[in-house]
Amino acid sequence: MKYLKHLFCMAMMLFLLLPGAAASESKGEGIDLQEILWGHIKDSYEWHVTNIGDKPIIINLPVFVKTSKGWYAGKAEDFAEEPLTEGPHAGYRPCKYNPDLFIATKGNYERRIVELKEDGTEVRPFDISITKSVCVLFIDAIILLLCILIPARWCHRHKFTDKAPKGFTGLMHMMVMYIYDEVIKPTLGKDADRFAPYLLTCFFFILVANLMGIIPFPPGGGNLTGNITITFFLAVCTFLVTNLSGTKHYWKDIFWPDVPTWLKVPVPLMPVIEIFGIFTKPFALMVRLFANMMAGHAIALALTCIIFIMATMGIVLSSSMTIVSVGMSIFMMLLELLVCFIQALVFTMLSAVFISLAQVHEAEA
């Protein structure tokens, strides 16, 4: 153990000297922090894995777009790695096989495929490409199916009186029963079994997506729940389930609530407020999940980038800041693990509350 401690201390000292060595080799060259941050948070047509020396390892995903001249099918590598610096198409990455297609690096369609007209206007083609977020979505869906089907297979082969399962199946049973007994059942009461499949699906999908997002290499690394389109879709699902299953007394309380008549006629003040509240609830779900997950990823990446920023400021300062950066990064990653569970739980809990508010019966009204 004594020799192992000495070897560990020597390894840590060498590790702390690496930023200084990087500083001497880089000769003051900076790094593009914005590209590092947005490269992880935003969607893209290629999946950057790592760099081996100066050679990047990239998974080029398939591209399918319908332009004004027809369909184009290819790969992300069909587009130039660097944008043009001169001419009318400066700032765009041209396609090698279609002169009208580009990947914008600026403007409203940044990081998206656009079709440039002769007058220079951008046109967004019909794009069904398999982007990084789409690819991660498929992977997360497969993992979610495995998380559900493996315990279901065990339940199908065993009786209720058998011993409780162990390992992964036991873990999934524990989590399912925890969410059902502590969140869904107390909130929805007798309607719990009716909405439990949807709420459990929301919880486990968000949890899997959050956990896969903090894994820094494929099949993880995709910031799925930090993409507002994903959280928007989840919020729309809760919105539809809530309002399509709402009772007649729920809708009565919206259009004709039990308030003084002057608050409803001639100016429908309370109905307007109630209708506005129908849309603010899913909006809060969407923004809460999106903002928390995106901010967590951004902070973790920013703390890691401190190492490379300080690497150009001398070996003493870089080594001391490396200790701080690594410590804070580890703390943020541990905090992110907790946030992954909390955000999935909060989304499920609020969805259950919103659904329960729509299940107003005559005796409760």
Side-chain angles (χ1 to χ4, degrees):
M1 290 299 298
K2 180 179 179 181
Y3 292 113
L4 287 176
K5 290 179 181 178
H6 291 167
L7 290 174
F8 178 76
C9 292
M10 292 177 63
M12 288 300 297
M13 290 298 296
L14 291 174
F15 174 73
L16 294 176
L17 291 175
L18 286 177
S24 61
E25 293 179 2
S26 63
K27 297 180 180 179
E29 295 179 0
I31 60 173
D32 192 348
L33 293 179
Q34 184 176 359
E35 179 62 27
I36 293 175
L37 291 174
W38 291 119
H40 175 77
I41 294 174
K42 287 190 174 183
D43 201 4
S44 62
Y45 294 96
E46 58 269 339
W47 196 340
H48 182 267
V49 180
T50 186
N51 286 354
I52 299 179
D54 295 332
K55 183 179 180 181
I57 305 299
I58 297 174
I59 301 175
N60 289 289
L61 302 173
V63 172
F64 304 100
V65 292
K66 184 180 181 181
T67 67
S68 58
K69 299 179 181 179
W71 283 94
Y72 176 80
K75 295 182 293 183
E77 63 182 357
D78 296 344
F79 294 84
E81 296 182 3
E82 298 295 333
L84 298 174
T85 57
E86 298 179 352
H89 298 154
Y92 294 89
R93 294 167 52 190
C95 179
K96 302 175 184 177
Y97 308 109
N98 191 319
D100 298 326
L101 290 180
F102 299 83
I103 293 182
T105 60
K106 59 182 181 180
N108 297 328
Y109 302 119
E110 184 180 0
R111 294 178 176 268
R112 293 296 181 184
I113 293 178
V114 296
E115 183 179 3
L116 292 183
K117 298 298 183 181
E118 295 181 357
D119 57 356
T121 57
E122 295 180 343
V123 176
R124 185 82 169 92
F126 181 67
D127 192 351
I128 55 172
S129 303
I130 307 298
T131 62
K132 181 180 177 181
S133 293
V134 175
C135 190
V136 171
L137 179 61
F138 289 151
I139 295 173
D140 291 350
I142 293 172
I143 295 174
L144 178 62
L145 286 174
L146 294 176
C147 291
I148 300 302
L149 294 180
I150 292 175
R153 183 169 176 265
W154 184 95
C155 292
H156 181 71
R157 293 187 174 187
H158 292 77
K159 297 180 180 179
F160 182 77
T161 55
D162 291 344
K163 292 183 178 180
K166 298 179 180 180
F168 175 75
T169 302
L171 175 65
M172 292 303 300
H173 275 234
M174 180 194 69
M175 296 186 69
V176 169
M177 295 310 300
Y178 172 77
I179 298 300
Y180 182 82
D181 292 336
E182 301 296 332
V183 178
I184 301 176
K185 187 69 175 179
T187 305
L188 290 166
K190 62 182 180 180
D191 295 319
D193 293 344
R194 182 183 173 192
F195 297 102
Y198 168 70
L199 294 172
L200 287 171
T201 302
C202 282
F203 173 79
F204 284 104
F205 174 78
I206 295 173
L207 180 62
V208 169
N210 290 347
L211 292 175
M212 293 296 289
I214 62 177
I215 298 176
F217 50 83
N223 187 26
L224 196 60
T225 46
N227 189 325
I228 198 167
T229 56
I230 301 297
T231 60
F232 171 77
F233 176 78
L234 293 172
V236 168
C237 289
T238 297
F239 171 81
L240 293 176
V241 171
T242 301
N243 292 284
L244 294 180
S245 65
T247 63
K248 63 179 181 180
H249 298 285
Y250 164 72
W251 290 107
K252 172 188 171 297
D253 290 340
I254 291 177
F255 292 102
W256 196 258
D258 293 331
V259 295
T261 306
W262 63 272
L263 291 174
K264 299 178 286 188
V265 179
V267 180
L269 178 61
M270 288 305 299
V272 169
I273 294 176
E274 292 291 341
I275 293 173
F276 184 71
I278 293 176
F279 297 96
T280 56
K281 292 173 183 176
F283 179 79
L285 285 177
M286 175 187 71
V287 173
R288 177 181 285 105
L289 180 59
F290 160 72
N292 279 280
M293 298 313 300
M294 186 189 70
H297 285 273
I299 293 172
L301 288 171
L303 290 173
T304 305
C305 289
I306 292 177
I307 298 174
F308 304 99
I309 295 174
M310 294 299 175
T312 59
M313 299 184 180
I315 188 170
V316 176
L317 183 59
S318 64
S319 299
S320 58
M321 288 305 299
T322 297
I323 299 174
V324 176
S325 179
V326 171
M328 291 298 295
S329 297
I330 294 174
F331 171 76
M332 279 302 303
M333 293 305 295
L334 294 176
L335 184 61
E336 275 288 285
L337 287 174
L338 180 62
V339 170
C340 288
F341 176 80
I342 291 176
Q343 289 304 315
L345 182 64
V346 168
F347 189 97
T348 306
M349 185 182 300
L350 291 178
S351 295
V353 170
F354 297 157
I355 293 172
S356 68
L357 293 175
Q359 305 304 306
V360 181
H361 300 283
E362 187 174 3
E364 303 171 356

